[in-house]
Amino acid sequence: MTASFPTVIELLHARHANGSVPGARNDNAKIGLIIEGGGMRGAVSAGMVAGLESIGLLHCFDTVYGSSAGTINGAYFIAGQARYCTTIYYQDINNRTFINLARLFGDTPALSLEFLLDAVAERIKPLHWDKVINSPIPLIAVASSLIDGRAVALSSFKSKDDLRECLRASARIPVMAGRPVEHRGMRLWDALVYEPIPAKTAIEDQCTHILALLTRPARHARHDLSFFETHVIAHLIGRESQDAKSAYLRRTNEYNALVQNLLSGEIEYSGKKASCLAVQLPPTEVAIKGTEIDREALVGAAIAGFKAVYDTLGLTVPQVVEVLTAF
């Protein structure tokens, strides 16, 4: 990169050192933070945004883009509650109230976003909804529109209820978390169908720089779909949308190709380019399952994500202990 087009790290450090805030930048860049989810793998990106919060980098970003659980992590980050959010994964939703695969073919979804958003985020560990809605740093909740057959960017939230439904739509894992969410005149499912990592959305939104928080360890490619995913989940998705089913079936190759592009340092869509930096766990870390409920594994994943941010940004990695911060 030339001096007039700094790297993501250089720009973040410069903004942090200069006390740069949204609406009063002294550069011509737009930095987007993109946050991957993946069910309980969201513990990793929750730990990562907690690391960014600990360093004090929130106001260095111009927009936050989330997919699935990454959107919920992004909301807590914007509200100044990232470390608080991280504890949700290993204290509040690692249980059968939230995840119970025995419910897969029953009336209640196997993964209950209703418990997460209507109980945890409302009463148990409440999100500061107004801070997200009124933040100078917009949250973009990426979801999959079954009507349009593409990813859609949900933003400009009108109320707490509107924001909550957009979070629900972005994280509504097909079949596992229930039927599509009907909101804003659309039928919406989890971002994973069309855009599991919202890089394209960020570039189309004019980002010049992207920091990507990924939830799989380095060199851990997404495996081919299992027999159950191919023949059961995909079949049930097809009942709602054949286009969504096709996108779901080809997502492994597209996902792995996108990760490689993010790791290359520069990514391009429709003639628009952005400098990018990906934060990943070390390849020695165990990949967390999307349905993981073991407390020790989730705590370890969150701490590893926290440390990965410091390491990627070239900062001294602190000693990390599990702590609950009250808000």
Side-chain angles (χ1 to χ4, degrees):
M1 297 293 176
T2 64
S4 60
F5 194 74
T7 65
V8 177
I9 289 181
E10 290 170 340
L11 193 55
L12 284 173
H13 284 321
R15 285 187 174 185
H16 185 47
N18 297 332
S20 178
V21 295
R25 305 292 191 199
N26 58 5
D27 55 57
N28 295 317
K30 180 175 181 178
I31 307 179
L33 175 67
I34 64 176
I35 311 173
E36 184 184 10
M40 297 300 280
R41 280 205 330 273
V44 175
S45 55
M48 290 175 175
V49 291
L52 294 173
E53 180 178 85
S54 180
I55 299 167
L57 293 182
L58 171 59
H59 292 291
C60 294
F61 297 101
D62 296 294
T63 308
V64 175
Y65 307 84
S67 66
S68 194
T71 308
I72 298 170
N73 295 344
Y76 274 89
F77 179 49
I78 287 174
Q81 300 174 284
R83 284 167 287 183
Y84 190 48
C85 173
T86 302
T87 67
I88 289 173
Y89 286 91
Y90 53 80
Q91 290 185 341
D92 302 292
I93 61 173
N94 58 323
N95 52 56
R96 290 185 177 273
T97 303
F98 180 63
I99 297 177
N100 187 347
L101 298 181
R103 298 195 303 247
L104 188 58
F105 298 105
D107 295 331
T108 303
L111 189 153
S112 176
L113 288 175
E114 285 59 52
F115 175 66
L116 173 56
L117 294 173
D118 302 332
V120 177
E122 184 65 32
R123 299 187 304 275
I124 300 172
K125 288 189 177 146
L127 171 67
H128 292 324
W129 303 90
D130 288 346
K131 287 187 177 181
V132 182
I133 294 169
N134 299 317
S135 173
I137 304 169
L139 173 68
I140 307 295
V142 179
S144 298
S145 170
L146 302 189
I147 295 174
D148 300 322
R150 62 179 179 85
V152 292
L154 307 172
S155 61
S156 302
F157 310 109
K158 306 301 182 185
S159 65
K160 181 172 78 171
D161 288 343
D162 179 34
L163 172 56
R164 179 166 37 219
E165 291 311 300
C166 289
L167 296 181
R168 196 187 314 273
S170 181
R172 182 79 92 185
I173 298 173
V175 182
M176 286 283 294
R179 300 286 301 279
V181 174
E182 306 278 348
H183 189 56
R184 293 190 177 186
M186 294 178 282
R187 297 176 63 243
L188 302 165
W189 249 339
D190 192 295
L192 72 83
V193 177
Y194 292 115
E195 196 173 358
I197 307 172
K200 183 174 183 289
T201 294
I203 291 178
E204 290 178 343
D205 198 30
Q206 310 301 320
C207 285
T208 59
H209 295 72
I210 290 172
L211 182 68
L213 308 183
L214 306 182
T215 56
R216 285 186 168 85
R219 298 200 291 275
H220 283 240
R222 195 198 189 290
H223 296 305
D224 291 337
L225 297 180
S226 67
F227 180 89
F228 182 76
E229 290 172 315
T230 302
H231 295 281
V232 178
I233 299 296
H235 171 71
L236 294 173
I237 290 174
R239 290 183 179 180
E240 301 286 350
S241 166
Q242 285 297 312
D243 185 79
K245 175 183 177 180
S246 297
Y248 179 83
L249 288 173
R250 65 174 183 265
R251 69 194 183 107
T252 295
N253 291 338
E254 292 181 357
Y255 175 92
N256 290 335
L258 174 56
V259 169
Q260 291 306 307
N261 282 335
L262 289 169
L263 293 172
S264 72
E266 186 175 83
I267 192 165
E268 178 179 0
Y269 283 107
S270 303
K272 300 175 182 177
K273 295 182 180 180
S275 174
C276 57
L277 176 65
V279 181
Q280 292 181 292
L281 301 186
T284 52
E285 288 288 336
V286 176
I288 292 293
K289 298 181 295 183
T291 56
E292 183 63 73
I293 61 172
D294 180 76
R295 188 183 193 282
E296 184 177 352
L298 293 167
V299 170
I303 290 176
F306 187 101
K307 291 182 175 181
V309 164
Y310 278 81
D311 189 56
T312 301
L313 296 180
L315 301 174
T316 301
V317 179
Q319 183 69 33
V320 182
V321 295
E322 181 188 341
V323 61
L324 174 61
T325 304
F327 281 84

